[in-house]
Amino acid sequence: VALGLYFPRKEYLENVYIDEPAGMPLLHIHALKDSQEEGVHFHLCQNLIISRARSHENSWFQIREKTGLLYLSKSLDREDFNMLSVGNWMPLSKVMLYVFLSSHPFQEKECDSATRTTVFLSLINATAPACSSLTARQLCFTEMDLSFHIKENKPPGTFHQLQLPSVHHLCQNLSISYKLLAAEGVPFRYNENTTGVRVTQSLDREERERYELIAKCTVREGFREMQVEVPFLVNVLDEDDSPPFLPNGTDTADAVVEFNRKEGTVLSTLTVYDADTTPIYPLESSRKKYTGTIITDDPWISETFRVEHIFDEIHFSPNGSQVRGTRHEY
């Protein structure tokens, strides 16, 4: 069973062209650990899902178990394309693969791990375009947005590689370099040698929920230079690790009841803040997390008065950045 290993992306997208050679690297998939001691092993389920109705045995794609590099194990020719496309008149066919994670080497046909990500491959009925015909955007970044989810309180690790393996493999006469533009003190580092982006420390969602960086790419060909910038976003996923707190430190409120109060009169209120969680749906599951109680041994009081619980999402601003939380009113 994969312990706490997880993928920082829910899905990956890549293009595959006809007649690209076997061994061609397509995509680098990363995983992050729950604890430093865990091993990371990737596994590809040996079924391609072509459309909702059909699946086909995968003879073309493999993943390196230790590194997460997805590559072509066999060249995809026109006959293969016709077989995998819904009809051979289609210029493009989309297929889907599942990549699984485990903290131990995979046993044969182990395809039911809960920890998986989806790879969408666009099979294109044409040979790969010449490097000189590609724009800087195509040479530098794929069509997928650079948006990642990293859990709070987890160890550091590399979660993305900026360099596109296929472009690096095919366009060796071009010089392509990257930079990660970020504010001072942001816990992410770019490694020029590996082109990997690493989270350098464990994150705290109650301190900051979202980081907005920019990935900048420079393409040089002879004397020509082109640059392109795209947003690079990291969302921090919550763990329930902070207790609720009371604005004035007291968890009880006294109620004074005068005569002739109408039904529905509010006699007393108590506010509780929770910076850790936001309201979840169905609402009942948020309600069950906290209960308000009238402390009394008098059955008449229990029958005559009740505590109502309402809650809504609010924003806290630690260190100037907005973090979502919940205000509970009793």
Side-chain angles (χ1 to χ4, degrees):
V1 177
L3 301 177
L5 294 171
Y6 68 99
F7 291 103
R9 289 189 69 93
K10 291 189 175 71
E11 57 186 54
Y12 291 83
L13 316 171
E14 193 46 82
N15 294 334
V16 180
Y17 293 91
I18 283 178
D19 296 336
E20 286 184 308
M24 171 83 171
L26 298 173
L27 187 59
H28 220 119
I29 292 175
H30 287 84
L32 287 169
K33 299 179 181 185
D34 194 55
S35 66
Q36 207 59 67
E37 310 75 62
E38 277 180 316
V40 180
H41 298 268
F42 297 91
H43 176 66
L44 199 57
C45 213
Q46 285 309 308
N47 259 353
L48 286 175
I49 295 143
I50 299 165
S51 58
R52 284 182 185 169
R54 291 169 55 207
S55 73
H56 195 287
E57 194 168 335
N58 168 29
S59 329
W60 301 272
F61 306 102
Q62 274 305 331
I63 196 163
R64 296 211 191 288
E65 188 182 340
K66 293 284 180 66
T67 63
L69 180 70
L70 185 75
Y71 63 96
L72 266 176
S73 53
K74 173 178 177 286
S75 185
L76 184 83
D77 60 25
R78 267 180 216 284
E79 220 171 283
D80 297 331
F81 178 86
N82 292 345
M83 180 170 62
L84 292 173
S85 61
V86 183
N88 58 12
W89 52 272
M90 300 277 279
L92 175 148
S93 175
K94 273 214 157 108
V95 300
M96 198 164 86
L97 283 166
Y98 292 124
V99 176
F100 293 88
L101 261 185
S102 176
S103 50
H104 58 77
F106 274 87
Q107 309 308 311
E108 205 44 50
K109 296 209 165 144
E110 192 175 359
C111 276
D112 53 358
S113 149
T115 313
R116 73 177 191 192
T117 190
T118 309
V119 178
F120 292 97
L121 297 171
S122 295
L123 309 183
I124 296 168
N125 192 5
T127 53
C131 296
S132 56
S133 70
L134 296 172
T135 62
R137 177 80 172 74
Q138 291 168 313
L139 289 164
C140 292
F141 303 107
T142 61
E143 289 154 31
M144 57 187 177
D145 60 339
L146 296 182
S147 177
F148 306 91
H149 301 276
I150 297 180
K151 294 181 182 179
E152 66 170 339
N153 308 322
K154 302 299 178 208
T158 299
F159 62 95
H160 182 63
Q161 191 171 338
L162 283 169
Q163 183 185 70
L164 303 183
S166 53
V167 169
H168 181 65
H169 187 77
L170 292 172
C171 307
Q172 289 171 353
N173 60 336
L174 292 178
S175 155
I176 301 174
S177 59
Y178 294 90
K179 268 189 181 153
L180 198 59
L181 310 179
E184 203 55 44
V186 163
F188 304 100
R189 287 290 164 276
Y190 170 65
N191 180 327
E192 272 182 37
N193 301 324
T194 62
T195 77
V197 182
R198 179 177 175 79
V199 55
T200 57
Q201 63 190 58
S202 75
L203 305 179
D204 182 355
R205 192 201 72 91
E206 287 71 67
E207 286 295 312
R208 187 153 175 188
E209 192 169 13
R210 185 176 164 87
Y211 293 88
E212 299 182 13
L213 301 88
I214 287 171
K216 178 180 179 177
C217 174
T218 305
V219 181
R220 288 183 191 83
E221 188 182 9
F223 297 109
R224 211 158 64 101
E225 185 177 290
M226 298 177 285
Q227 292 188 333
V228 60
E229 293 182 1
V230 298
F232 189 103
L233 307 174
V234 178
N235 293 292
V236 185
L237 294 181
D238 194 53
E239 263 195 333
D240 203 351
D241 63 337
S242 304
F245 62 93
L246 300 130
N248 57 3
T250 173
D251 63 352
T252 41
D254 295 330
V256 175
V257 187
E258 294 172 3
F259 284 109
N260 296 331
R261 297 290 94 179
K262 288 194 174 119
E263 188 179 335
T265 303
V266 175
L267 304 167
S268 184
T269 59
L270 184 66
T271 303
V272 181
Y273 289 109
D274 190 344
D276 194 56
T277 54
T278 54
I280 47 176
Y281 297 89
L283 289 175
E284 275 320 300
S285 45
S286 267
R287 267 207 186 89
K288 281 178 190 150
K289 207 169 159 190
Y290 305 102
T291 52
T293 313
I294 299 173
I295 303 167
T296 179
D297 342 353
D298 184 335
W300 178 79
I301 289 179
S302 304
E303 284 162 22
T304 313
F305 302 95
R306 74 166 186 269
V307 179
E308 279 201 358
H309 176 193
I310 56 169
F311 51 88
D312 57 355
E313 182 172 296
I314 55 164
H315 289 93
F316 299 96
S317 296
N319 310 327
S321 75
Q322 282 210 331
V323 171
R324 291 172 305 143
T326 312
R327 177 176 49 210
H328 297 266
E329 299 267 13
Y330 295 94

